[in-house]
Every structure is written in C-alpha cells, then in structure tokens.
Amino acid sequence: MFAGLFFLSPVKRWINFSTDKKESADIKVISFNVKNGVMGKEELQKYLVGQEADVILLQEDGGGNFPMLKDYNKTDSKKGLTIFTKHKILNNKEIVLDENEILPAIQADIEIKGKVYRFVDVYLHPFKFEKDMITLTGNTDTNEQKMKDVIRRLIPTFKKHQKQADLIYQAVENSPYPVILGGDFNSVPNSYEYYHLSSGLEDAFLNAGKGSATSFHEYKFPIRIDYIFSSKSIRPVSYAVDRSVRLSDHYPVISQFHLGRK
C-alpha cells in the first residue's frame, strides 16, 4: 500500500483523472510550441483565433507577425517567445541568461478584471535530438556510440537548464502578483526542472487534468514536456492537451482558471 502511494504522485503527472470542478472559469490560457509555424502559419493563426483565449503563450514562434491576432495585445519579444492577451499589459520583460543563448523566458504583468497577474512564458534550452539519434538498431557498436552521443548532449544541456530555471524561479518568487507559468520546459515531470519551477505553484494537470498529459508527439513514446502552473490563489478548472490538431511537433496545452479564490 505504501509503495503504491509513493508512486501514485509521479504517475499522476503523466496520467490523471481529476474530478469535475464546480467553479466557473474566469480565464482561458493556451501554451503552444508552434515550431516556427512551419506546418502552416495561416492554419495556426486560425486555430489560435478560434480558441478565444485570454492569454496565449507561444514558444518557437519564429519572431514573426501574426496578423490574424491583431485584436490581441502582445509582448515585443522577437526571440522566439511571445505572449498575446485580450487584456492590458502593464509591464513586460525578457528573462535573459546570456545574450548568445536561446531566450529562456519572458514575463508580462497583465491586468484582468481589475487585478494584476504575472504570466511567464518558458522555453528551456532544447536537447536537439533527431529521431535517428535515439532509435536503436541491431548493431551493438552503433547503439553504444548513439548512447555516448546522447550523454554528450544531456550533460551541458542539464547545466544550462539549471541556470535558466534558477532565473525563472526568481521571477516567480519575487513577483508581487499571482503567477501563471507555462511553456515548453524540454524536461519530463520527474526532473529537476519540473520540481524547481513548480515549487510553490500548482500543476494545472494534477488539479484539473484527465487522461494523458503527453504533449510532444515527434517520437513514438509518450513525452510530457509542456506545462502550465499557477499560484495557489488561482484555481485550475480544466486542463486539456488538444490532440485534434497537428500544427507542430507539440500539441497545444489549454487550461482554464477561476480567479476568485482567496
């Protein structure tokens, strides 16, 4: 029994069956790594417009324009991360580790219904694995070399993630406002990145998700690397991975929140 309880929480970060929430939703948030829109920029924009979300967190957006989202306010980042919102943006900021590195996060303080919330859009450094790099063959020597190549990529990326996660955690910890943090963490739910960045926050999937949280479908095995977390004063009402669209190698992650909790 104790062993089952010990493993229950890690499993629920991948597969969960939460009960329906009684609270009404005040806002809808989408987090989506759009892979530079290479699978169809126009179709992507139509999808985002049709969702009618209050806040959209995009990763790998290519730094381009989204003319169909002209009615949204947005941050001015041109480095692959953008926050769109129907509401007023009071402040925005890039969270920079190194000017020569990929931008790991941006933040925007947004006024919603007379109260300010900090939204943090995350894109941790990618591992840049290609399918053939992790696909094993019948050749032992080839497989051994592939494993060595994977390890060579893992170690420096983990070091970058630790520094990036520390900076992002500070933006959350020092926020004078309730926080919603989402994005592509390039890390699984039992990782340092997950534990560190979710510290003091609630995983919307754990609270309101049903079924599988797998969000990256490029490989044949399930991977959850996209998340939405929130301060405890913001209650998740629903959480879904939208597998109805294939506009990227990621699925969009969608969550609704009730803001009235004290």
Side-chain angles (χ1 to χ4, degrees):
M1 180 183 70
F2 285 112
L5 291 174
F6 178 79
F7 286 108
L8 180 61
S9 182
V11 169
K12 286 178 67 177
R13 298 189 195 115
W14 295 85
I15 301 175
N16 190 28
F17 295 95
S18 61
T19 58
D20 292 334
K21 307 304 177 185
K22 297 180 180 179
E23 296 90 346
S24 59
D26 295 313
I27 61 168
K28 182 178 183 180
V29 179
I30 295 179
S31 177
F32 194 6
N33 182 321
V34 298
K35 199 178 181 181
N36 298 317
V38 297
M39 295 185 178
K41 190 71 171 289
E42 184 174 345
E43 291 78 5
L44 171 63
Q45 292 181 81
K46 288 179 179 178
Y47 173 78
L48 293 174
V49 170
Q51 288 299 311
E52 297 184 344
D54 292 272
V55 179
I56 302 171
L57 309 175
L58 296 185
Q59 306 90 42
E60 283 199 275
D61 64 14
N65 295 320
F66 289 76
M68 292 186 188
L69 296 173
K70 63 183 183 302
D71 294 332
Y72 281 75
N73 299 312
K74 72 169 188 173
T75 58
D76 57 358
S77 170
K78 301 295 183 184
K79 299 181 180 178
L81 290 168
T82 300
I83 299 176
F84 289 95
T85 179
K86 293 180 177 180
H87 305 278
K88 183 179 180 181
I89 299 176
L90 302 180
N91 299 290
N92 62 77
K93 177 183 177 182
E94 293 182 353
I95 300 173
V96 182
L97 176 63
D98 186 328
E99 291 293 343
N100 298 319
E101 296 287 348
I102 291 173
L103 183 68
I106 58 174
Q107 70 183 49
D109 297 334
I110 300 173
E111 184 178 355
I112 302 174
K113 297 183 178 181
K115 188 173 181 180
V116 181
Y117 301 86
R118 174 163 294 177
F119 288 81
V120 182
D121 187 11
V122 174
Y123 179 55
L124 296 186
H125 196 280
F127 287 94
K128 298 181 179 179
F129 289 134
E130 301 295 336
K131 281 185 178 180
D132 61 344
M133 294 175 62
I134 60 173
T135 302
L136 299 181
T137 68
N139 188 301
T140 303
D141 291 337
T142 300
N143 290 339
E144 183 178 347
Q145 185 59 47
K146 284 187 175 184
M147 294 304 298
K148 290 179 180 178
D149 292 340
V150 167
I151 292 172
R152 287 193 189 99
R153 286 178 179 264
L154 287 176
I155 294 174
T157 302
F158 282 142
K159 290 180 179 178
K160 288 180 182 177
H161 279 194
Q162 183 174 359
K163 293 178 181 178
Q164 291 175 338
D166 288 345
L167 274 181
I168 296 166
Y169 177 79
Q170 291 173 24
V172 174
E173 183 73 7
N174 297 329
S175 174
Y177 315 115
V179 173
I180 290 180
L181 171 118
D184 176 4
F185 287 30
N186 277 305
S187 305
V188 294
N190 58 338
S191 64
Y192 165 83
E193 295 88 335
Y194 176 94
Y195 286 109
H196 190 41
L197 289 176
S198 66
S199 177
L201 303 176
E202 295 191 359
D203 185 338
F205 177 71
L206 282 179
N207 285 272
K210 294 182 180 180
S212 170
T214 294
S215 57
F216 182 74
H217 58 82
E218 183 73 7
Y219 307 144
K220 292 183 178 180
F221 46 88
I223 302 179
R224 182 192 182 197
I225 57 177
D226 300 274
Y227 306 89
I228 300 180
F229 301 118
S230 65
S231 295
K232 290 181 171 29
S233 61
I234 305 172
R235 187 171 181 83
V237 175
S238 68
Y239 182 102
V241 180
D242 190 351
R243 297 183 177 85
S244 69
V245 293
R246 284 183 176 259
L247 299 170
S248 168
D249 50 2
H250 293 246
Y251 293 120
V253 174
I254 305 169
S255 190
Q256 297 185 79
F257 295 91
H258 176 70
L259 302 177
R261 180 180 171 188
K262 302 296 185 183

